[in-house]
Amino acid sequence: MRLRADQVTRFVTEEAADVICLQEIKCREAEFPAAAFAEAGFPHLRIAGQKGWHGVAIASRLPIDDAPALSICREGHARVVGAIVQGIEIQNFYIPAGGDVPDRLENPKFDHKLDFYEKLTAQMAARDPRAPLIIAGDLNVAPGENDVWNHKFMLKVVSHTPPEIAAMAALKDSLGFIDLAREATPEPEKLFSWWSYRAADFRASNRGLRLDHIWITPGLRDAAFRTGAALARVHDTAREWERPSDHAPVSVDLGI
């Protein structure tokens, strides 16, 4: 976060964002570049930080109230932070990547990832789908065949394996969440938000994954579809900036 604060403030200024969710900030709360955000018009913050690893934050132009705290990560990592803005609850996640081996018994990191999904799904299932809720962030699963560059190959690679796809589907079904990016860009069009640093030209290779998501409950459907269609997109041009993140921003437009 400290390395890319200028990029984030550039993005929110160019896109006239009101609220931004950040993942993998890799700093503690006191180290977060709050002054840069305040200068860009985002003085309201909720931060869950951790030294050198993980970490999530929500920054807003509008005042923030506290959201229910979610106890999900069995390892105690800083992977979720919540806020209420304009009466809408926002929960921002950095879900574990899951390591390299897609086996719960052989790989504790993969087991942790699925455990995180299971705990989150159980908590969401107890909620009211009519309540206005957004879940957002790096959910570290590309769920659909057209959310990965090669479906057959990626079925064996963590991020698109059948257990992960099933876990994400269960979470989505828990409250009838609406995947706004896919509503705006329907199947079978390819849609990615992450490209590896290994490619010299990410567009030429285009071996991307859609790991970053913004979902809403049915209670926000009218706000999302007020023009008759969902307004959501992946800002892949940000991936072309100098020293970019390997993730591109995803945005949605809600009329409140």
Side-chain angles (χ1 to χ4, degrees):
M1 185 64 256
R2 288 168 289 177
L3 177 67
R4 297 192 174 95
D6 290 345
Q7 291 190 9
V8 177
T9 54
R10 171 185 169 182
F11 174 79
V12 298
T13 300
E14 290 180 357
E15 298 299 327
D18 293 309
V19 181
I20 186 165
C21 297
L22 304 163
Q23 303 86 39
E24 205 173 2
I25 62 174
K26 293 185 177 179
C27 65
R28 291 169 288 196
E29 287 88 338
E31 299 164 333
F32 189 87
F37 278 81
E39 186 176 348
F42 288 76
H44 307 288
L45 302 170
R46 289 293 185 275
I47 305 165
Q50 184 174 342
K51 183 179 180 181
W53 298 95
H54 317 308
V56 283
I58 298 173
S60 175
R61 295 187 190 274
L62 305 166
I64 285 180
D65 294 318
D66 291 334
L70 302 182
S71 179
I72 299 169
C73 182
R74 73 183 186 194
E75 305 296 332
H77 300 161
R79 291 185 177 275
V80 57
V81 67
I84 295 176
V85 182
Q86 296 288 94
I88 298 173
E89 180 182 349
I90 303 168
Q91 294 288 350
N92 176 30
F93 299 95
Y94 174 43
I95 290 183
D100 296 325
V101 180
D103 186 294
R104 297 189 77 157
L105 296 178
E106 294 183 15
N107 179 8
K109 291 182 178 180
F110 193 71
D111 181 63
H112 179 211
K113 180 177 191 173
L114 295 182
D115 181 77
F116 193 108
Y117 264 101
E118 290 160 358
K119 286 184 169 63
L120 177 57
T121 299
Q123 292 194 29
M124 292 296 104
R127 300 235 191 158
D128 183 352
R130 297 168 296 181
L133 168 66
I134 298 170
I135 65 172
D138 180 357
L139 306 188
N140 259 319
V141 175
E145 291 188 18
N146 295 298
D147 297 326
V148 296
W149 65 276
N150 184 313
H151 169 61
K152 184 176 180 180
F153 175 82
M154 289 299 301
L155 281 172
K156 301 175 184 178
V157 179
V158 173
S159 71
H160 188 63
T161 64
E164 295 167 284
I165 294 170
M168 175 171 270
L171 174 60
K172 189 177 181 185
D173 291 345
S174 67
L175 279 177
F177 282 109
I178 301 166
D179 179 352
L180 288 179
R182 263 300 170 210
E183 291 288 335
T185 307
E187 302 275 5
E189 185 172 341
K190 292 284 189 182
L191 187 63
F192 308 145
S193 66
W194 175 93
W195 295 263
S196 172
Y197 287 127
R198 295 177 183 176
D201 183 339
F202 81 97
R203 289 197 188 279
S205 64
N206 203 29
R207 293 192 172 193
L209 308 174
R210 187 167 73 100
L211 302 178
D212 307 277
H213 304 269
I214 303 177
W215 294 357
I216 61 169
T217 51
L220 284 171
R221 173 177 280 277
D222 288 347
F225 290 84
R226 70 191 190 283
T227 65
L231 301 177
R233 59 175 291 206
V234 177
H235 299 262
D236 56 359
T237 53
R239 186 65 174 75
E240 301 169 349
W241 294 354
E242 185 178 354
R243 301 180 74 181
S245 169
D246 47 359
H247 294 260
V250 180
S251 70
V252 302
D253 189 347
L254 302 178
I256 305 303

